[in-house]
Amino acid sequence: MEFGVSIPFVEHLGFELTVFADGRSEIVYDPLPEHLNSFAVTHGGALMTLLDVTMAVAARSVQKDMGAVTIEMKTSFMQPARGLLTARGHLMHRTATMAFTEGTVFDAQGKACAHATGTFKYVRRLATGPKSVHALQTISTD
C-alpha cells in the first residue's frame, strides 16, 4: 500500500502502510540496529516519527488529496519497544481545516509501548520538485 506521497525519511526507516481508510491507519515497522538506543530498544525519536506519521495518515485517510501537517503532538512512553512494531492511528474528530488524532505503538506481543495524541492542519498538496521550489521569504529580526 502506498502513502500517496514520497516521504524520504519514512522510506529510510522502512515503514510499511497496511491500513489507510475511514479515519484509520496502520503502519508496520521493523527497526534496524541503527534505529535503537543505547539500551538496545527502539529509539524514542523513531517511535515519535512512527506515531506522527500514523496519526497524519489517519487524518488524511478521509480526504486523500489533502496533506496534513503536525501542529501539536503529545507522546507517552509506556514500556520499551522491542522487535517488530505495529502502530495504529485513529481520527477522533475533524473540522474543515484541523484533525484531532491518536495513535498507539504495539510490540509483537500486542503490548502497548507508546501512545500519542496529535493535532494536524489540513493543507492543499503543492507540486514538488526543482521547478516548483520557491525562494524562502524571511523576515529579519535585527
Side-chain angles (χ1 to χ4, degrees):
M1 187 175 287
E2 298 292 323
F3 284 91
V5 63
S6 175
I7 310 168
F9 189 53
V10 168
E11 293 167 9
H12 168 75
L13 290 170
F15 293 175
E16 180 186 343
L17 181 63
T18 57
V19 174
F20 183 31
D22 305 319
R24 302 269 177 202
S25 65
E26 182 178 273
I27 297 173
V28 176
Y29 172 44
D30 193 6
L32 297 174
E34 56 268 29
H35 302 159
L36 306 182
N37 63 21
S38 61
F39 297 103
V41 298
T42 306
H43 191 282
L47 291 172
M48 289 184 76
T49 299
L50 178 58
L51 286 162
D52 181 50
V53 173
T54 300
M55 292 186 297
V57 169
R60 288 186 49 238
S61 71
V62 296
Q63 191 172 354
K64 296 178 182 178
D65 63 329
M66 294 294 280
V69 295
T70 310
I71 300 299
E72 172 273 337
M73 180 174 166
K74 180 198 182 295
T75 306
S76 297
F77 300 98
M78 296 174 279
Q79 69 174 355
R82 294 183 176 90
L84 184 69
L85 304 173
T86 301
R88 293 187 184 99
H90 170 233
L91 174 61
M92 298 174 359
H93 177 74
R94 76 166 282 184
T95 67
T97 59
M98 303 292 281
F100 302 88
T101 64
E102 66 179 352
T104 306
V105 175
F106 300 91
D107 65 15
Q109 289 72 44
K111 294 180 183 174
C113 300
H115 180 80
T117 57
T119 306
F120 295 81
K121 181 169 179 57
Y122 288 111
V123 295
R124 292 194 194 287
R125 289 222 167 271
L126 301 175
T128 58
K131 292 184 179 181
S132 66
V133 176
H134 303 285
L136 292 175
Q137 294 183 9
T138 58
I139 299 171
S140 175
T141 57
D142 294 337

